[in-house]
Amino acid sequence: MSDASTPVLPRSHGRRLREYYRSAGWPCQDTIEIDLLNAGLVERIAERLDAGGCERIRVTETGLLALGSALLRNRQAFDAHEALVRVVAQHQARAGRLVYRGLMLRGRVGETWKACRPDVYSIRPTSVAAYAHPVVHEVKVRRADLLSDLRNAGKRSAYQALSTEFFYVLPEGLAQADEVPPECGVLFAGPAGLRLARPSPQRAVQLGISEWMALARRGAEFVDGAHEDQAMLGDGA
């Protein structure tokens, strides 16, 4: 069990600590290793150098506590993320849309294709491409993850290539709406539900054959029977 004295590691240091724990712990002799040694998270072990052995790096008990604390934080963040994803999915389904979670898609960015996996992807219930109005909602519950995502313009462009509207969904207080690029909409999640902080600019995007096939393979999620009485747009008189 971690406590307030357990250090919170930068991602690079946490990754290295996990690598030492999983492997034989060969020294890297770089600044990350110096930091870990000085923090007492790892220690150097000399294995009979006179007999052709070598020096290894071993994770200390303090290092194991730090790894356990990071694992707990990651699990808690994952649980919070999945809970908010479900809230967004239910919100879209109750608005009469077909909802998909964790759908693997490819968006065209310039001359290349970029794989992406939006948290929530939804369309109107129609087989007419012009009426589908695809929307992407990307959920972030940790500020570090949000800032990392905002630096990834290619990922954001792939989402926008696949949607007429693209939103970031954030817990209240995680960030200000003006920290998010203006080409993205922003929704805040709080005790009262989802609040629109900024609408998304709309783009003229239609689903291609690869998107239709991905939707057909996955199948939409019917949350709380939201679609039971929905007619198909454009399919009737």
Side-chain angles (χ1 to χ4, degrees), residues 106-164:
R106 290 193 314 154
R108 190 171 184 85
V109 180
E111 299 300 316
T112 64
W113 292 90
K114 186 173 180 63
C116 58
R117 189 178 181 182
D119 287 323
V120 179
Y121 190 83
S122 65
I123 63 171
R124 289 171 174 164
T126 179
S127 59
V128 181
Y131 298 159
H133 195 90
V135 176
V136 167
H137 290 83
E138 186 67 3
V139 172
K140 296 296 174 187
V141 298
R142 295 199 297 193
R143 183 169 175 81
D145 290 341
L146 172 65
L147 296 179
S148 175
D149 210 72
L150 295 182
R151 291 192 292 267
N152 192 343
K155 177 182 177 183
R156 191 161 59 250
S157 296
Y159 285 151
Q160 291 168 334
L162 293 164
S163 61
T164 56

Side-chain angles (χ1 to χ4, degrees), residues 37 181 215:
L37 285 166
L215 298 179

Side-chain angles (χ1 to χ4, degrees), residues 26 47-55:
W26 305 120
E47 295 188 335
R48 297 198 59 188
L49 299 178
D50 58 336
C54 59
E55 185 178 78

Side-chain angles (χ1 to χ4, degrees), residues 2 14 48 76 86 95 100 102-103 119 122 131 141 173 182 198 201 229:
S2 62
R48 297 198 59 188
Q76 290 172 338
R86 180 168 178 78
Y100 305 80
L103 189 68
D119 287 323
S122 65
Y131 298 159
V141 298
R198 187 175 71 208
D229 300 321

Side-chain angles (χ1 to χ4, degrees), residues 32-55:
I32 293 178
E33 188 170 289
I34 292 172
D35 288 340
L36 295 175
L37 285 166
N38 287 338
L41 302 176
V42 297
E43 60 185 355
R44 293 182 292 182
I45 303 294
E47 295 188 335
R48 297 198 59 188
L49 299 178
D50 58 336
C54 59
E55 185 178 78

Side-chain angles (χ1 to χ4, degrees), residues 6 39 47-48 62 90 107 115 125 154 172-173 206 210 219 234:
T6 304
E47 295 188 335
R48 297 198 59 188
T62 303
Q90 288 178 326
E172 292 276 6
Q206 290 193 16
S210 62

